[in-house]
Amino acid sequence: MSLSSIRHLLSVSAIAAAALLSVQAAEPNVPQIGCFISTGDNHWLGESLPIDSPAAIEDSMALLARLGVKCVYWRGLEEATWMETMTSRPENCRYDSAFHWFHQLYRDVHPDKLAVEAAHRHGMEIWGVGTLVDWQGPGDTPNFNDFPNGFESRLRLDHPEWVPRDRSGLLKQCGPIEFAYPEARKALVDLHMKFVRQDGYDGMTFVTYAENYGMRFQDEFGFNEPIVKEFKKRHGVDLLTQPFTRSASRFDWYNLRGEYLTQYLRELKSQLQHDGKKLGMILNPFEPRFTQPWNVPQIMLTAGHITVDLDTYVREGIVDHLMVWGYCSPQIQNKAVDDCLWLTRATPCKVAALTSSPFAPRWKPFQKKGVTIAMSLGDDASYLDRSNIPEQPLAALSSDDPVLRMRVLAQIIYGKTKATTEQVTPLLHDHNVIVRRLALSALGKLKDPAAVPSIEQGLDDEENAVRCAAALALRDNNRPESAAKMLGAVDMHGTHPLMEMVFHTMPRIKPAPREVLAEAASKHANPLVRSTAMRSLVFMTDVKLLPVFAQGLHDSDRFVRFAAAEALGNVRHSTEAVELLLQALQHEDPTVSDRAATSLAVIVAAHFPETDPLRARIVTALGELYAKLGDGCQRSDAEWGYRPVGNALLKMGAEGEQILQRFMDQKSDRQLALEAWKTLWIRQDSKTFSEVTEKENEEAFSHLPAWLRPPAAAK
């Protein structure tokens, strides 16, 4: 660490300690609260609380301490275990970019160890938050973006038997590792203990959902051999071939899976207890005795039905801490917190609740009962706006207390305090990272054209988090020259979150900077600039840009090629765009050919009169590409290419389905027939759950050709 960084930490700590004393003296009954930091999201999203450098981590922890936080729940434990075991699929360009950025942080910055040291320096506990069930999975699993799914842990890849299976044995679940295998439990215990010890956490807890859209119905997976054998031994029913009964029920199956989970937690607690560390669980507020749903609108338990045996956890002292998750109605969460308080009465187990409104009146009765209220917030300003620190006069911009300066800037951002550019601009040179970020955001919200050059200067700040804040502020206050300035920052610094901020800000610049972006996308020497520019053009396509997109399809950088194929799908009323995409279906890079298939489906769905006559050629070309994915396929998308290409065929209607049916009916290429069956009957698309009932799933399997059925399914 540099001498200037050390001085910064010492000065911030001294100021924070003095200010904390003054706040405590003024408000002696400030409730104890916690803070949940979802570190991977912060490292991806440039607008979230900054935690990507020593100075950013120190300033963020100092702020949390001033807000009354006594315990930080730090999801870096999950991120660290991912970096240790995860394999990236480079064909998912956006996620691969994030993957390399995360690796850079963990190689060069060591954010988790810095966070632990800073939290302890400011008098806070810090617990590592790990994942119970999210080790990602197969490339054909739907996710936030195009196929393939971006990652999969080597724990799953090296031990395919640990991956949860469906009843047929044909389908694999994305996310969990099955706890029924003792070797799997040991591997997970060893992995988590490595980082708990290495980084010095006070304890660890688990989120219990997996982030993917792979599950089609709630009881789809969990039929691995040890579970099937034990269920048959106990209940006399074969889970693979016989239905549940009253004496061999679904609940018996849920509980059996839960017994293996309980054993895993016992084994982990034994190791933690030996080191004087504590163990917690984060709970599903809707059904606390099952794992959590993912934080998307649909309430889907993405781990499946696994009993969370809270009674045993508390009775045996396996857990020391229960946190009730939010993202639900207050009534649901309140009931779950009350139930946890009753369950843990007369035990040392503590209860907490997660919320975005930590000082709301509804929490006061719970705080009197000792419940920790843990805030979960997004951008920097929200931490101040939703805090217990009262609003400050404009003069506090000149205060020696950085938190008071932050408070006023947040008021300006939320439109609660009027200010001028001249009053805010000096804070762009503040020693505190968060103050500089908030000052940039405030200048954006003021929308004074005179402030734009100052915002642009923030793109060259020494801190990545401040550069990201500058790009974000330019969404609200910019000029035509801002496009080139942002591309210059990408050229100079090129971090993943900065590129994400620039990519999302470019469409806000008026007039649309097509010429600047086209020049950069086609001629710039830096592939990070070319890809950022090409991605930005996806939002502002025009037939005049077709030569740029055509050239981009053959760029040396994969992300540029992918973005060019995506952009072509947004060019309206253009037969030339269709011709380019038809050619791209033959591209040697499956990332390009598969995205070309998706883009062609977008064009066909729009029913442009100019391109409708090309529909038959499109269907034929898609079928030819799909046919390459059968037995002996050596393409990098051999595992997952059938999803984007098959979904494009489905969007062609009856003509596409007929091609897929022919592939399914032929009997010379097993892989092709299986993929065609999945495309037609196990339908899944990106960015959504493709939900079916169990009866509909049985109907789908009734169409599986007999020669493809595994022995259990054939019975």
Side-chain angles (χ1 to χ4, degrees), residues 66 106 172 239 279 656:
R66 283 293 303 280
Y106 275 80
K172 298 183 291 185
L239 286 171
L279 178 62

Side-chain angles (χ1 to χ4, degrees), residues 16 170 174 184 201 240 289 405 439 539 580 622 673:
L170 286 175
C174 181
Y201 292 112
L240 300 183
R289 286 174 172 79
R405 300 196 296 275
F539 296 119
L580 287 169
L622 288 172

Side-chain angles (χ1 to χ4, degrees), residues 43 46 52-53 101 105 437 458 461-470 493-499:
H43 289 151
D52 61 0
S53 74
W101 167 240
L105 288 176
R437 282 167 53 88
D461 193 276
E462 64 182 357
E463 287 287 330
N464 175 68
V466 178
R467 298 192 292 267
C468 290
H493 306 289
T495 65
H496 174 83
L498 178 61
M499 291 186 290

Side-chain angles (χ1 to χ4, degrees), residues 382-393:
S382 64
Y383 283 83
L384 284 304
D385 186 65
R386 301 188 183 193
S387 74
N388 61 336
I389 298 175
E391 290 190 11
Q392 300 293 312

Side-chain angles (χ1 to χ4, degrees), residues 219 221-223 231 239 249-257:
D219 289 345
F221 300 102
F223 299 92
F231 197 87
L239 286 171
S249 68
R250 290 181 189 274
F251 298 98
D252 292 301
W253 175 54
Y254 303 159
N255 290 343
L256 175 58
R257 298 190 75 197

